[in-house]
Each structure stands twice: as C-alpha cells, then as structure tokens.
Amino acid sequence: MKPDKKQNQYRINEQIRVREVRIVGESGSSVIPTREALDMARQQGVDLVEISPNANPPVCRLIDYSKFLYQQKKRAKEMKAKQVKVEVKEIRFGPQTDEHDYQFKLKHAKEFLEEGNKVRAYVFFRGRSILFKEQGEVLLLRFANDLEECGKVESMPSLEGKKMFLYLAPKKAGVAKKSQQARDREANEAEMKENAKLQKQEAVADIDVEMPANGGLFANAKISADALKKLTEEAE
C-alpha cells in the first residue's frame, strides 16, 4: 500500500509545538494558547489540524483529521475537473496553399482555439521554395487576421530553418468537452421541458371563453385566464 502524502502534509495535535495558534471556524477566528486549543479538541472529540503553518501564529482548525483529508481530496478533485488541458495544435501550410485547403485548415484552427488550445501554424519550404518566404509570411499574417476573433498572436511569423512559424493563443478559456452521456442527458431534459411547455400551451388554447352578446369581436375567443381577468376589469 502506497503511503498517503497528504497524510503527512499537515501537523496535528501534539505535533504542533508552537506557543499559540489561530483557530478558525464558522464563528470566526481567535488566537489562543496551543495547550488550550488541544484541550478544546479533546473535549469536542476532534483533532487540532494545522492548515497554514507559515502564518503568524499558525492557523489551525478543530476537525476530525480523516474528514479534513477527505475534504482536501474532494476539493483538489473538483479543481482538477475544472481545469482545461492546454495543448499545442499544429497547422501546416505550403508556400502556395490553395484557397480550399486554406479554408479547411482555418476551420480546424478556429475549433482548436475555441477549445482552449494553442495553435502553431507554419509554412514549410521545400528546396527552392524558400525563395517564396515573403509569400509564406503573407499567408501566416492573413491566417492570424482571420482568427483575430478567437485567437491572439503570441509571436509574429519567424523563419527557423526551412519553416516559418506563427504562434496563436486562445482569447478565451476553453470549455472542457462534455461526455456523450452528459450531452444526451441535457438533450433529453431540454426535450422534456419543451414538451411540458407545449402541453401547457395546448391546455390553455382549449379553454373556449364565450363573451356576452355586447362583446362583439371577442366572442368565442380562446384566451388565457389572465387575459380574461384583464378584459373583465376593463369592462367594469
């Protein structure tokens, strides 16, 4: 069984040997002698856990140590789930890339940036095609301009050997892709809400309200209860 690094990360109870500590809780915080804090922990049947050793005085909590470790692991897991892994995606061009190929690669680069990834676009010059390096630079500058809504230039086109590179970073943080199961669940929930809305509208439409003879154009109109109340108030 592997040792739990978290288990040894915090000092607890008699391992805390400073003169006084700051106890934090739901009611606020207070600085008290460490011996008094240990007595409070024993009386409550919990542990004295040092959560911020570098503070002056160190900050502690009165909590069951196993529960505290569970909370820390849960919080770390939630933070990790919210993080978006940033990758560098490559887009390769030739110095004389045609328009169809350019648009195809532009579409993929936009998707990469919207997902929160960086893009490294480059033009590869083979043999004598290095003579067209100005044409490659123009291509990369156009590429950056076409992606200005979702990407920002990290470095302008620069020639490195036989390749000219352009680096782009996303303007907005990427959104982690949802699993197919999550997407299906959301689609089902949306469909159920829409069906309930339609059923409610149909129920209201089936209420035939017959107005008196002097109602004129309002006779046999299909209206909701709120609309009927409004018309009655106006008639009075």
Side-chain angles (χ1 to χ4, degrees), residues 214-225:
N214 59 1
L217 296 176
F218 295 104
N220 298 321
K222 293 182 179 180
I223 57 178
S224 67

Side-chain angles (χ1 to χ4, degrees), residues 78-156:
E78 290 174 350
M79 291 179 64
K80 185 177 180 180
K82 291 179 180 179
Q83 291 177 346
V84 179
K85 185 178 179 181
V86 177
E87 298 181 4
V88 179
K89 303 291 188 177
E90 283 195 346
I91 300 291
R92 172 177 170 171
F93 293 102
Q96 296 178 326
T97 299
D98 61 41
E99 185 63 21
H100 180 268
D101 191 30
Y102 174 85
Q103 293 297 333
F104 178 78
K105 292 178 178 179
L106 179 68
K107 177 183 176 182
H108 280 285
K110 185 176 181 181
E111 291 175 353
F112 294 149
L113 291 168
E114 289 177 344
E115 290 172 1
N117 298 305
K118 292 186 177 183
V119 170
R120 178 171 65 182
Y122 68 92
V123 179
F124 179 69
F125 300 98
R126 189 188 305 273
R128 292 174 59 85
S129 66
I130 192 68
L131 298 174
F132 299 98
K133 63 180 181 179
E134 290 81 7
Q135 189 172 338
E137 182 177 6
V138 170
L139 175 65
L140 291 177
L141 290 174
R142 176 194 174 190
F143 191 66
N145 184 67
D146 289 344
L147 292 169
E148 63 179 352
E149 290 186 2
C150 55
K152 56 185 177 182
V153 177
E154 282 196 330
S155 66
M156 297 299 288

Side-chain angles (χ1 to χ4, degrees), residues 11-18 21 34 38 48-50 58 60:
R11 284 193 287 264
I12 64 171
N13 300 327
E14 280 73 17
Q15 295 174 354
I16 305 170
R17 297 177 180 176
V18 294
V21 294
T34 304
L38 286 169
L48 179 66
V49 182
E50 186 184 60
C60 298

